[in-house]
Amino acid sequence: MTTKQAMPRVALITGAGGSGGIGRAIARAFASEGIALALSDVRRDSETLPPDEVATGWRGIDSVADEAREAGVEAESFHCDLTDLAAIDAMVARVIARFGRIDILVNNARALMGKDRAPVTELSREVWNTFLAVNATAPFVLMQTCARHMIERGGGGRIISTGSDMSKRGRAMG
């Protein structure tokens, strides 16, 4: 087996810090397959955390990384503000510097819900811009940047983008 074949695959997962979230479930599934994990989420303070996470001492992507290491795979946390395009590029560069590659990108992050639950006539443009930056622009930039890396490196890769049921069915103040 060559060194290139012996290297574990590496997955970059955004929005991976919630204790009950899809990102954590994806990370656990990948870890069970021996895939190294680059875990990303925005740095959150205790005021923005769900009460159950505060009560249990949940530490977001750092807790998910600990679980992955306990499962026997390499894992690293990369806090990133997905509204900042330069921060996205820097994060991808840090992931590649740390692991040498990205084989799988999982676009799973979403704008924090709550502030966007307003009638369109009252929704602030700042909240709208944040919503678009995290839910549309960041996944595009990540796909573009990671796909370029995958093509340059050779060997292909996988890009997965998740969405909630709300992308199919709207509801008032949903």
Side-chain angles (χ1 to χ4, degrees), residues 16-20 41-63 79 110 112-113:
S19 65
D41 212 331
V42 66
R43 191 176 302 277
R44 299 182 293 161
D45 56 33
S46 58
E47 290 90 46
T48 62
L49 294 174
D52 60 318
E53 288 185 5
V54 173
T56 61
W58 185 254
R59 299 177 349 269
I61 54 176
D62 295 328
S63 291
H79 289 97
R110 63 170 171 77
L112 292 175
M113 293 174 64

Side-chain angles (χ1 to χ4, degrees), residues 13-155:
I13 306 170
T14 66
S19 65
I22 294 169
R24 180 185 181 200
I26 292 168
R28 293 173 81 166
F30 283 177
S32 74
E33 296 294 322
I35 298 170
L37 302 175
L39 304 165
S40 176
D41 212 331
V42 66
R43 191 176 302 277
R44 299 182 293 161
D45 56 33
S46 58
E47 290 90 46
T48 62
L49 294 174
D52 60 318
E53 288 185 5
V54 173
T56 61
W58 185 254
R59 299 177 349 269
I61 54 176
D62 295 328
S63 291
V64 179
D66 288 345
E67 290 176 339
R69 288 184 205 105
E70 288 170 13
V73 299
E74 289 185 70
E76 195 76 38
S77 301
F78 297 88
H79 289 97
C80 185
D81 176 356
L82 295 180
T83 65
D84 181 345
L85 300 181
I88 294 171
D89 289 338
M91 175 188 61
V92 170
R94 287 191 336 262
V95 171
I96 294 168
R98 164 64 175 85
F99 291 100
R101 62 192 295 142
I102 297 173
D103 301 288
I104 304 165
L105 166 65
V106 180
N107 279 313
N108 179 64
R110 63 170 171 77
L112 292 175
M113 293 174 64
K115 292 181 181 180
D116 61 330
R117 292 183 180 181
V120 70
T121 56
E122 296 175 29
L123 185 67
S124 77
R125 290 181 182 174
E126 178 185 14
V127 169
W128 176 251
N129 288 335
T130 298
F131 181 85
L132 287 177
V134 174
N135 294 343
T137 304
F140 166 76
V141 170
L142 282 157
M143 286 187 282
Q144 187 179 56
T145 305
C146 290
R148 286 177 179 155
H149 161 73
M150 292 170 182
I151 292 166
E152 288 171 10
R153 184 191 41 129

